[in-house]
Amino acid sequence: MSRIENCFMALRTQGRTALIPFITAGDPGKEDTVPLMHTLVAQGADILELGVPFSDPMADGPVIQRASERALAHHTSLHDVLEMVRTFRETDADTPVVLMGYLNPIEVMGYQAFAEAAAKAGIDGVLTVDIPPEEGEELLAALRVRHIDPIYLLAPTSTPERIRSLTASASGFVYYVSLKGVTGAGNLDLDAVRAKLGEIRAVTGLPVGVGFGIKDAATARAMSEIADAVVVGSAIVSLVERHADDPEAIRKAIGRLVGEMRQAMDTE
Amino acid sequence: MKLTELPDARGHFGPYGGVFVAETLMAPIEELRLAYERYMRDPDFLAELDADLQHYVGRPSPIYHAERLSRELGGAQIYLKREDLNHTGAHKVNNTIGQALLARRMGKTRIIAETGAGQHGVATATVAARLGLECVIYMGEVDAARQEANVYRMRLLGAEVRTVSSGSKTLKDALNEAMRDWVANVDNTFYIIGTVAGPHPYPVMVRDFQAVIGREACEQIQAMTGRLPDALIACVGGGSNAIGLFYPFLGDEQIAIYGVEAAGDGLETGRHAAPLCAGRPGVLHGNRTYLMEDVDGQIIETHSISAGLDYPGVGPEHAWLKDSGRAQYVTITDEEALQGFHRLTRTEGIIPALESSHAIAQSIKLAPQMTSDAILLVNLSGRGDKDMHTVAAFEGLKL
């Protein structure tokens, strides 16, 4: 059983919802990422999502795009990201880590070489934004052989047919995003999300994470009532941006936010 | 499978093309694909398109025998396909009118587009005005600053120009931003991509709209000379004017095909825009194709004196034509392009766009190596009025 499956199973028995914070690797500096990952875990993160910087992050909003730009200013590469996870694993053997990024850096490394290096580094899931399963059989096979979960996005416009084919290729969990399309946008319409989650769950038994509109403890709690996982990206990355010249302040600020979310989500 | 039968049902040209987009874009792309497949077989739609191409764009554009230039070069006879005479001054409008008519059939009321130099933006704003559609153009901040006149032109035409300050602040960033807009506003919005790149069906759809260039040229050259040309030449940025000329000739294997990429300051300097000649395959903007990228797979900035060729990718069909050997891709530097610009201007009284000047420069290289009964057909994809400031600045003048 994968670390991700284990994690969701344990949470389910405890009646809790997973908290999945996102940061971009190498933002603001390469040396900041591993300590930030440990901070997030200490404050109650169940799974970590680590963004692999890309020069053209088409599916991301301005906040995450600027994080990519900061990380690329000192050439944070896919190799660097794998090395960060390897270092993180030296002192944390349990917390699942999911990479989120775009296909081109993986193409350049080669699917087999990437999957092997990712497995060796201790990566548990890979969400490649711009490769739908129809184009991705070879990458999927390379990941599966090494027990890495392929994670897929679902959108409000995903048809039941499409949800079926995506979830057939996915493992670990699926990630429901807003149509405002780009990360970091939009207001939360809980009823609409609840309805769509019903559609998704009618098709798959995989846990469903929701990844937009979660800004603070209150929105995290509200979402935790209906989703299996709450993914928090832009709210955290905004804090990284605000304190970009002071790593200690970043740790404090995002630690506080994630801690508050955790507490609100776990309160009866 | 024959070259002319590509792409396959999912938009692949060999290993290139395809649909590499986030799930949020799958639904709009599927909607577009179905509409495109339906209307490209609809006689009523095709008649509407033909009428607009004739009466609004001014087609057919003539071909012209550049006799003085040919004589000076002392080799092949050079014929120019005069896309510069189209309404708005370039081939771009062939595609924007097609996509805008499709948008109207699909019930979309809002048009968006990305633009680099502003030519595609102007061609889009033009047809949006013609059809009474709301129009938003995304343009990199750097491009908007160096193409002020085109920004003003788009605004005159009623378009809203949104400048993009992310990334390198150029064409690729404008494209990213337009994609985001599309995802968020898909209900009423149609995204007009300006070249034969992007996710399927864009590369094939734009090719089909631009192939009118080659179809006309094929008839015209035979009517004028009694035979087919020996070689075709066109410049390649994203590659829409080139594929428009090449496609109808692909099956005639004896015709040599040359696509001309921008070598900028020279391939050896790294400051160029020649993914086919000096890049390698990767995935960007929804398709697999040749790209300009660094060792980590990050897309790098390109350079060309011609803003319309300043793009780090290229249409997937060109990638396949290169690998299959059907077409040859060569490069022309900024300096050679400028020489071509001046030479055509002085010998024929035709001022070419800097993009098209790359094709002219290649014909100047090639013609002397051919016999005087050989025929070179060059796509003069646009006129040079827009480039007066750039050319003058290169010569140290300020207009």
Side-chain angles (χ1 to χ4, degrees):
Chain A
M1 194 182 292
S2 76
R3 275 197 204 97
I4 295 175
E5 269 180 279
N6 262 328
C7 172
F8 276 104
M9 194 172 281
L11 287 165
R12 204 164 279 178
T13 31
Q14 299 159 15
R16 295 164 72 224
T17 301
L19 176 58
I20 310 183
F22 169 99
I23 55 172
T24 297
D27 172 32
K30 286 185 197 177
E31 64 291 351
D32 299 316
T33 301
V34 175
L36 287 178
M37 291 168 79
H38 287 304
T39 301
L40 293 168
V41 174
Q43 294 302 318
D46 298 297
I47 297 173
L48 297 177
E49 209 172 274
L50 201 54
V52 181
F54 183 52
S55 52
D56 293 79
M58 261 168 43
D60 283 296
V63 171
I64 308 280
Q65 175 160 26
R66 286 198 298 273
S68 255
E69 286 172 17
R70 286 192 296 276
L72 289 176
H74 41 260
H75 306 288
T76 305
S77 68
L78 183 52
H79 288 280
D80 294 331
V81 179
L82 295 170
E83 181 56 26
M84 290 170 193
V85 178
R86 198 193 58 71
T87 309
F88 171 78
R89 278 272 170 262
E90 287 173 359
T91 47
D92 186 328
D94 304 319
T95 310
V97 176
V98 173
L99 293 191
M100 178 170 179
Y102 292 79
L103 182 58
N104 203 48
I106 297 176
E107 286 255 319
V108 167
M109 191 180 282
Y111 295 166
Q112 297 301 335
F114 166 70
E116 194 170 325
K120 208 175 274 176
I123 283 157
D124 302 287
V126 173
L127 195 174
T128 312
V129 174
D130 54 349
I131 186 163
E134 301 90 308
E135 300 282 2
E137 280 158 30
E138 199 187 328
L139 177 58
L140 266 174
L143 294 174
R144 281 210 195 98
V145 153
R146 290 163 183 91
H147 307 288
I148 296 174
D149 290 316
I151 315 288
Y152 283 101
L153 297 176
L154 295 174
T157 45
S158 303
T159 57
E161 204 173 47
R162 181 105 194 123
I163 296 173
R164 204 163 293 126
S165 77
L166 282 165
T167 53
S169 298
S171 59
F173 66 101
V174 288
Y175 183 175
Y176 180 61
V177 295
S178 148
L179 236 220
K180 291 301 157 194
V182 294
T183 51
N187 289 316
L188 207 46
D189 178 351
L190 279 178
D191 289 336
V193 175
R194 189 180 287 118
K196 193 68 185 184
L197 293 188
E199 264 182 62
I200 296 169
R201 286 181 176 132
V203 173
T204 180
L206 286 172
V208 187
V210 175
F212 59 94
I214 297 147
K215 299 181 170 76
D216 51 22
T219 44
R221 185 193 157 92
M223 189 58 79
S224 74
E225 315 241 310
I226 58 173
D228 302 305
V230 171
V231 187
V232 190
S234 301
I236 292 173
V237 175
S238 297
L239 292 174
V240 176
E241 178 164 51
R242 188 181 310 160
H243 303 290
D245 50 358
D246 183 354
E248 192 45 43
I250 295 173
R251 267 201 291 285
K252 274 191 193 147
I254 73 173
R256 188 183 309 123
L257 178 66
V258 170
E260 288 169 3
M261 288 180 167
R262 174 85 271 166
Q263 205 179 10
M265 286 167 62
D266 290 351
T267 306
E268 287 298 319
Chain B
M1 188 175 262
K2 280 200 218 154
L3 283 171
T4 45
E5 287 167 8
L6 293 174
D8 70 12
R10 296 204 321 238
H12 297 107
F13 300 87
Y16 304 108
V19 179
F20 290 87
V21 298
E23 177 60 17
T24 45
L25 265 174
M26 290 304 288
I29 282 171
E30 185 63 7
E31 184 191 5
L32 174 63
R33 185 181 68 78
L34 292 172
Y36 156 75
E37 285 173 0
R38 174 180 162 197
Y39 288 111
M40 289 309 271
R41 290 193 204 107
D42 178 346
D44 187 49
F45 175 78
L46 294 173
E48 185 182 21
L49 174 61
D50 276 350
D52 265 4
L53 289 177
Q54 185 185 342
H55 300 290
Y56 189 66
V57 176
R59 303 205 71 89
S61 67
I63 55 172
Y64 167 76
H65 183 195
E67 271 185 277
R68 279 195 74 209
L69 178 64
S70 305
R71 196 159 38 222
E72 268 191 26
L73 293 169
Q77 301 307 306
I78 295 173
Y79 287 79
L80 306 175
K81 178 61 173 165
R82 298 291 308 274
E83 291 300 298
D84 60 318
L85 296 177
N86 292 341
H87 180 42
T88 71
H91 72 290
K92 290 285 183 189
V93 72
N94 301 329
N95 168 51
T96 58
I97 196 81
Q99 289 196 50
L101 289 174
L102 186 57
R104 194 165 69 174
R105 296 272 175 153
M106 291 170 72
K108 307 290 183 187
T109 55
R110 180 172 177 268
I111 295 289
I112 58 169
E114 84 295 339
T115 195
Q119 293 311 105
H120 173 58
V122 168
T124 300
T126 299
V127 299
R130 152 101 170 71
L131 298 178
L133 300 167
E134 185 189 343
C135 182
V136 174
I137 305 292
Y138 289 92
M139 190 170 188
E141 209 171 75
V142 170
D143 290 336
R146 58 186 178 192
Q147 300 288 340
E148 273 180 313
N150 271 342
V151 173
Y152 184 59
R153 204 166 290 154
M154 288 183 267
R155 289 185 172 139
L156 283 177
L157 289 159
E160 180 193 338
V161 180
R162 293 189 188 161
T163 55
V164 177
S165 59
S166 56
S168 59
K169 304 176 175 58
T170 58
L171 175 59
K172 74 184 181 71
D173 309 285
L175 207 151
N176 293 335
E177 210 57 41
M179 287 271 187
R180 291 176 184 139
D181 180 312
W182 195 26
V183 167
N185 299 295
V186 60
D187 289 344
N188 70 344
T189 298
F190 188 105
Y191 178 17
I192 298 188
I193 290 185
T195 191
V196 284
H200 179 65
Y202 281 103
V204 62
M205 176 170 68
V206 177
R207 177 194 77 192
D208 287 352
F209 287 135
Q210 292 293 1
V212 65
I213 300 172
R215 284 197 305 272
E216 285 176 5
C218 186
E219 279 182 23
Q220 291 165 322
I221 196 84
Q222 293 184 83
M224 249 174 119
T225 68
R227 66 184 190 87
L228 289 170
D230 297 287
L232 309 176
I233 302 178
C235 64
V236 177
S240 71
N241 90 81
I243 214 77
L245 177 66
F246 299 167
Y247 181 70
F249 291 98
L250 286 180
D252 296 299
E253 303 261 348
Q254 76 285 2
I255 301 175
I257 295 179
Y258 296 91
V260 185
E261 292 195 299
D265 292 343
L267 290 188
E268 70 288 352
T269 67
R271 283 175 47 76
H272 59 81
L276 287 168
C277 294
R280 57 182 177 172
V283 171
L284 178 71
H285 293 151
N287 65 119
R288 181 179 283 119
T289 186
Y290 280 81
L291 299 176
M292 304 261 300
E293 59 180 9
D294 68 12
V295 292
D296 297 324
Q298 308 295 346
I299 307 308
I300 56 178
E301 282 181 47
T302 52
H303 167 79
S304 168
I305 191 170
S306 140
L309 302 183
D310 215 346
Y311 177 65
V314 62
E317 191 163 7
H318 287 293
W320 180 237
L321 290 176
K322 172 193 159 78
D323 283 13
S324 68
R326 179 64 190 94
Q328 297 175 61
Y329 292 87
V330 296
T331 60
I332 287 291
T333 63
D334 286 353
E335 207 168 308
E336 291 169 323
L338 277 165
Q339 286 166 10
F341 172 94
H342 287 297
R343 187 127 186 209
L344 187 69
T345 301
R346 295 296 284 269
T347 54
E348 299 289 351
I350 295 172
I351 303 180
L354 284 172
E355 291 78 8
S356 322
S357 298
H358 287 71
I360 298 295
Q362 176 63 18
S363 73
I364 291 171
K365 272 190 187 172
L366 205 59
Q369 303 165 24
M370 301 168 81
T371 56
S372 63
D373 57 352
I375 296 174
L376 263 180
L377 179 57
V378 181
N379 200 5
L380 189 63
S381 54
R383 64 177 179 236
D385 308 40
K386 68 183 175 63
D387 295 315
M388 293 298 101
H389 283 88
T390 309
V391 175
F394 199 86
E395 280 155 13
L397 303 170
K398 190 160 170 24
L399 300 185

